[in-house]
């Protein structure tokens, strides 16, 4: 097995390494997503409009669900897949950017995914706005050689065009919704409707042609709707749709309570992680209660909750009344990297630094961003070596680093200044009120500019192996370099009892 980022700097993708062969999978001309382009930001405006003028996704989702039930989908939205006694499946999140960082994860995903029964995409299948025209090069082409079905739950970007393309691809080519009633003039709904981004009339004309890239019988998949429950062997996977703003409508909340009942072990798949960046986000349900209330209920027998949306890997093993629920962030499947060096020293839900895991390691994240902005701002002094970044992160957080820095590495005034400028996290007892908005601003504004076209990319995906009374979960890394492409390293591994 190859070195991971916890073993060596080379295992993290640093140093001179042969680039991987992933570019051979890419189309000749890639239309790159620029997250600093005003046109991209304007096209993705629906999330802001929903927060200003009210979120319409609950009503729209209800119409999609009604359309599927009229087509004969069971009301409980449970479907089944016959699998062997021991089987495996893949989980990958926030995939659809279409550039180097997405395709760099594909060879390792295909190699690690050999013999798996199916895969699940946890969020944001297509960037920037879920357009049907983007599915060819951001879904069908990269995963054309994955031989099994792929199921998905939508992320907020899939909702930016009211989920039409997602429903066509994953839900049996569901016909488009009819026009919505015209709102009263000058009210909040009127302003929202006036400014709302909608798909082009010609969007998706070539979707049938794109489907031929994944047309083998074993690749075909049909799911009941944007949220669903899948029974496979001894486990039930439950996928929820958190829409534009990371919440559940009352109808979906009632459904979630119903399908969560019973002794079968359950895994939640959500577009909004419940523990992330050292914080607890329980996910409110319209009308009262939260998703995490349902997950924590001992009668529901949840063993894990896996969320996308944040573009890295994190794990929080939370003790709930004497049993451990694994809360995982798995959104490193292809989009720009969200920083991990901004995560403060973890102390949440009883989870401390000793139990917390993340990929990339915080030091690698800080080194990555320091070199990125050193190049873009033409300030060579801003760049930190991976060893310097690892050492200053260990000092700021008061932790044992995931990988030891070099023996001659020193933390200097310069490295401390760079860490502060780039929003590096700190200890809870030293975190000022100023630093919290710095971290939030860094994640929201600076991370999208981290799109690069050279390794290391720090991408990741999961393989879950269901065996006799246990579930083995491994997080694999993809850097874009040849060594990690040939032999994807394991960045985290844990076993969950199912009995």
């Amino acid at each position: 097995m190859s070195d991971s980022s916890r073993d060596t700097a080379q295992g993290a993708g640093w140093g001179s390494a042969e680039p991987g062969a992933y570019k051979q999978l890419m189309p000749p001309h890639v239309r790159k997503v620029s997250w600093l382009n005003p046109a991209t930001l304007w096209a993705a405006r629906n999330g802001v409009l929903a927060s200003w003028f009210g979120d319409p996704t609950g009503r729209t989702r209800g119409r999609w669900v009604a359309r599927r039930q009229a087509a004969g989908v069971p009301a409980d939205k449970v479907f089944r897949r016959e699998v062997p006694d021991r089987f495996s499946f893949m989980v990958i999140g926030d995939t659809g950017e279409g550039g180097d960082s997405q395709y760099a994860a594909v060879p390792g995903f295909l190699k690690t995914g050999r013999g798996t029964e199916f895969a699940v995409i946890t969020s944001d299948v297509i960037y920037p706005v879920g357009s049907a025209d983007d599915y060819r090069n951001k879904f069908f082409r990269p995963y054309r050689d994955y031989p099994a079905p792929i199921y998905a739950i939508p992320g907020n970007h899939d909702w930016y065009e009211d989920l039409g393309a997602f429903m066509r691809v994953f839900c049996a080519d569901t016909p488009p919704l009819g026009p919505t009633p015209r709102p009263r003039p000058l009210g909040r709904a009127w302003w929202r409707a006036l400014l709302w981004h909608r798909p082009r009339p010609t969007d998706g004309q070539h979707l049938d042609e794109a489907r031929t890239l994944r047309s083998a019988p074993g690749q075909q998949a049909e799911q009941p709707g944007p949220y669903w429950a899948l029974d496979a062997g001894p486990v039930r996977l439950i996928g929820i749709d958190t829409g534009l703003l990371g919440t559940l409508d009352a109808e979906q909340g009632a459904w979630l309570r119903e399908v969560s009942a019973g002794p079968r072990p359950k895994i939640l798949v959500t577009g909004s992680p419940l523990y992330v960046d050292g914080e607890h986000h329980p996910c409110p349900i319209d009308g009262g209660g939260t998703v995490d209330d349902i997950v924590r209920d001992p009668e529901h027998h949840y063993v894990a909750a896996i969320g996308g949306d944040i573009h890295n890997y994190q794990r929080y093993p939370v003790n709930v009344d004497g049993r451990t629920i694994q809360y995982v962030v798995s959104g490193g499947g292809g989009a720009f990297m969200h920083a991990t060096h901004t995560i403060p020293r973890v102390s949440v839900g009883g989870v401390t630094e000793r139990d917390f895991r993340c990929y990339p390691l915080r030091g690698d994240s800080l080194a990555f961003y320091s070199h990125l902005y050193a190049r873009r701002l033409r300030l060579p002094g801003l760049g930190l070596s991976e060893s310097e970044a690892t050492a200053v992160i260990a000092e700021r957080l008061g932790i044992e680093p995931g990988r030891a820095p070099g023996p001659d590495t020193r933390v200097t005034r310069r490295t401390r200044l760079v860490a502060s400028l780039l929003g590096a996290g700190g200890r809870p007892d030293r975190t000022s009120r100023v630093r919290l908005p710095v971290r939030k601003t860094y994640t929201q504004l600076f991370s999208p500019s981290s799109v690069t076209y050279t390794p290391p990319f720090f991408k990741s995906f999961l393989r879950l192996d269901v065996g006799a009374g246990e579930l083995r979960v491994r997080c694999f890394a993809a850097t874009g370099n040849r060594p990690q492409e040939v032999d994807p390293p394991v960045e985290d591994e844990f076993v969950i009892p199912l009995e």
Side-chain angles (χ1 to χ4, degrees):
M1 182 179 294
S2 63
D3 286 346
S4 74
S5 69
R6 293 180 174 270
D7 299 318
T8 64
Q10 290 72 28
W14 298 114
S16 58
E18 179 188 357
Y22 68 88
K23 282 186 178 289
Q24 299 174 14
L25 305 174
M26 298 175 66
H29 304 288
V30 177
R31 184 180 177 184
K32 298 179 174 66
V33 176
S34 173
W35 292 103
L36 300 182
N37 186 328
T40 301
L41 297 176
W42 176 243
R45 63 189 179 270
N46 285 359
V48 175
L49 294 176
S51 65
W52 286 355
F53 301 115
D55 185 2
T57 55
R59 291 189 298 275
T60 305
R61 184 187 297 115
R63 297 175 68 198
W64 283 122
V65 169
R67 179 69 58 87
R68 293 292 288 141
Q69 289 185 200
V73 169
D76 63 5
K77 301 168 189 62
V78 176
F79 64 115
R80 293 165 180 81
R81 182 166 180 84
E82 296 300 324
V83 295
D85 292 339
R86 295 174 180 266
F87 74 98
S88 305
F89 63 97
M90 303 294 289
V91 172
I92 187 168
D94 297 81
T95 52
E97 201 161 279
D100 290 66
S101 62
Q102 178 179 8
Y103 279 85
V106 172
F109 175 84
L110 295 177
K111 184 169 185 176
T112 306
R114 290 174 184 167
T116 55
E117 293 291 324
F118 57 87
V120 178
I121 298 178
T122 59
S123 178
D124 291 337
V125 182
I126 300 295
Y127 292 100
V129 293
S131 169
D133 285 340
D134 286 335
Y135 267 86
R136 179 183 180 88
N137 289 333
K138 299 179 181 181
F139 175 73
F140 289 106
R141 186 185 183 105
Y143 309 117
R144 61 183 173 182
D145 292 327
Y146 180 69
I150 299 177
Y151 307 107
I153 57 168
N156 57 316
H157 287 268
D158 300 305
W159 266 102
Y160 286 159
E161 290 193 348
D162 291 336
L163 212 62
F166 181 96
M167 296 298 293
R168 290 184 64 181
V169 171
F170 293 102
C171 302
D173 214 7
T174 302
L177 297 175
T180 57
R182 182 173 298 180
R184 292 184 302 173
L186 301 182
R188 296 172 69 204
W190 184 88
W191 284 107
R192 184 182 65 219
L194 178 67
L195 299 172
W196 201 251
H197 170 82
R198 294 178 175 82
R200 301 182 308 276
T202 58
D203 187 52
Q205 287 185 334
H206 303 290
L207 192 55
D208 288 341
E209 179 185 346
R211 291 181 201 271
T212 62
L213 295 172
R214 278 186 52 83
S215 58
Q219 294 175 316
Q220 303 313 298
E222 179 183 335
Q223 60 190 55
Y227 57 93
W228 42 262
L230 168 59
D231 286 344
V235 299
R236 169 171 286 186
L237 274 71
I238 298 178
I240 59 173
D241 171 17
T242 56
L244 283 170
L245 301 182
T247 62
L248 256 63
D249 60 280
E251 180 182 351
Q252 186 179 179
W255 167 85
L256 178 61
R257 293 183 181 94
E258 181 179 334
V259 296
S260 296
R264 183 192 292 261
K266 298 174 185 70
I267 302 168
L268 182 75
V269 183
T270 170
S272 298
L274 303 181
Y275 280 85
V276 61
D277 293 344
E279 299 173 349
H280 183 209
H281 297 271
C283 188
I285 300 173
D286 291 349
T290 69
V291 170
D292 204 28
D293 291 338
I294 298 172
V295 170
R296 288 168 175 263
D297 189 327
E299 294 186 0
H300 293 159
H301 297 275
Y302 276 92
V303 298
I306 305 173
D309 189 52
I310 302 301
H311 308 163
N312 52 46
Y313 172 82
Q314 301 174 43
R315 177 166 68 90
Y316 303 80
V318 178
N319 185 290
V320 180
D321 299 327
R323 60 196 177 93
T324 298
I325 300 177
Q326 298 283 353
Y327 291 86
V328 176
V329 178
S330 182
F336 63 85
M337 185 188 85
H338 277 134
T340 58
H341 68 264
T342 59
I343 302 173
R345 178 169 173 160
V346 169
S347 180
V348 61
V351 179
T352 65
E353 276 293 328
R354 185 170 65 178
D355 304 312
F356 170 70
R357 294 290 183 273
C358 69
Y359 177 78
L361 298 175
R362 292 181 179 99
D364 290 330
S365 172
L366 177 58
F368 174 94
Y369 273 93
S370 71
H371 285 290
L372 176 70
Y373 285 106
R375 292 193 302 269
R376 293 190 176 175
L377 300 177
R378 298 182 181 179
L379 295 172
L382 198 63
L384 301 179
S385 69
E386 54 80 21
S387 194
E388 288 176 318
T390 297
V392 73
I393 285 290
E395 179 189 83
R396 290 177 70 92
L397 273 64
I399 62 172
E400 196 72 27
R403 181 181 71 246
D408 298 327
T409 304
R410 299 290 181 267
V411 178
T412 65
R413 180 180 297 180
R414 179 183 72 89
T415 56
R416 293 187 181 104
L417 176 61
V418 172
S420 293
L421 289 174
L422 296 183
R427 305 184 196 183
D429 58 342
R430 295 183 181 180
T431 302
S432 68
R433 292 182 180 179
V434 174
R435 188 160 306 284
L436 287 172
V438 166
R439 289 204 315 270
K440 187 174 182 180
T441 300
Y442 194 93
T443 298
Q444 292 180 342
L445 298 182
F446 291 175
S447 285
S449 68
S450 71
V451 178
T452 62
Y453 308 106
T454 56
F457 294 114
F458 298 110
K459 300 295 101 184
S460 60
F461 46 86
L462 307 181
R463 176 177 169 127
L464 294 86
D465 302 302
V466 181
E470 67 177 29
L471 171 66
R472 181 189 184 200
V473 184
R474 285 174 289 172
C475 172
F476 290 89
T479 67
N481 286 324
R482 181 71 174 170
Q484 290 81 40
E485 192 175 88
V486 171
D487 188 9
V490 176
E491 290 292 335
D492 189 25
E493 181 175 1
F494 55 99
V495 174
I496 302 173
L498 296 180
E499 296 179 346

